[in-house]
Amino acid sequence: ICPTCNETYKDDDINFCLSDGTTLLKKRNSKAPKHSLWNDVVAVILAAVSVLVLLCLITSSPDDRSFISTGGGSPATKNWVGVVGANIAAVLISTFGWAAYLIPVLIALIAWRVFQSDTLVPRASRVAGYVFFAISLSGLITLFGGYGAIVGEAGAQGTAHFIGSIGAGILLFAVFASSILLVTNFTL
């Protein structure tokens, strides 16, 4: 077990934590925490939500009515997930821009993490990683001339106002790279 992140490794040949490099502690005469049925249930629900959000986004149409748009006057919703899907797609695309298409991947990664975990309570650093991933990616997309929507514009213009466009690009890329390290178990 890792004393820093409390991650338990079943492989006895591993001596260091794969997340942070800390020397692992050996547990004596105690069982590893039992994997809960609730983790499986929540993971399956999150995986389904991931697929639904992906379908919402890839079948979104500017002709669909939503909270944000009146649509093109078409009475029928073209989104495969219906009116709810049209609203989800409109909110995500208006908030994160092109980065919204990676939101289903993040939800699927969360589902995998929940399935692998012994507890349903996520680490604060991992949650921060997901948030920083979405914000910094939207900001980078905006800096490079893409559609980053509200979050991208705020992130790109907010940092560029103080440290210029090149400085904003460097800072947002550093935050993006750090967020990937927080979300995954990769280390440098």
Side-chain angles (χ1 to χ4, degrees):
I1 186 165
C2 176
T4 305
C5 67
N6 293 328
E7 186 148 337
T8 303
Y9 294 96
K10 294 177 174 78
D11 188 354
D12 292 331
D13 295 331
I14 297 176
N15 295 323
F16 299 99
C17 179
L18 299 176
S19 299
D20 54 21
T22 306
T23 303
L24 298 178
L25 301 174
K26 300 287 183 189
K27 283 185 128 181
R28 294 185 184 159
N29 298 331
S30 74
K31 296 180 179 178
K34 186 177 178 187
H35 183 78
S36 171
L37 176 66
W38 284 109
N39 287 57
D40 297 343
V41 170
V42 171
V44 167
I45 291 170
L46 284 172
V49 168
S50 174
V51 170
L52 285 172
V53 170
L54 178 66
L55 288 175
C56 291
L57 290 169
I58 62 175
T59 63
S60 68
S61 170
D63 294 334
D64 290 341
R65 290 180 182 256
S66 67
F67 296 128
I68 296 172
S69 170
T70 59
S74 176
T77 303
K78 296 177 183 175
N79 195 301
W80 288 2
V81 187
V83 176
V84 172
N87 284 299
I88 290 171
V91 167
L92 287 177
I93 291 172
S94 296
T95 305
F96 297 105
W98 294 342
Y101 290 97
L102 288 179
I103 300 284
V105 175
L106 291 179
I107 297 171
L109 184 59
I110 293 170
W112 177 251
R113 291 276 182 202
V114 167
F115 179 74
Q116 294 287 318
S117 179
D118 295 323
T119 178
L120 286 173
V121 180
R123 292 193 327 240
S125 62
R126 185 136 308 154
V127 173
Y130 287 113
V131 172
F132 289 141
F133 180 89
I135 292 170
S136 61
L137 182 60
S138 293
L140 285 170
I141 289 172
T142 299
L143 274 179
F144 289 110
Y147 179 61
I150 297 168
V151 171
E153 288 291 329
Q157 289 182 8
T159 54
H161 177 75
F162 292 107
I163 57 176
S165 295
I166 293 174
I170 292 169
L171 179 64
L172 287 172
F173 181 76
V175 171
F176 179 71
S178 298
S179 71
I180 290 175
L181 294 175
L182 289 172
V183 168
T184 65
N185 284 336
F186 295 134
T187 58
L188 296 179

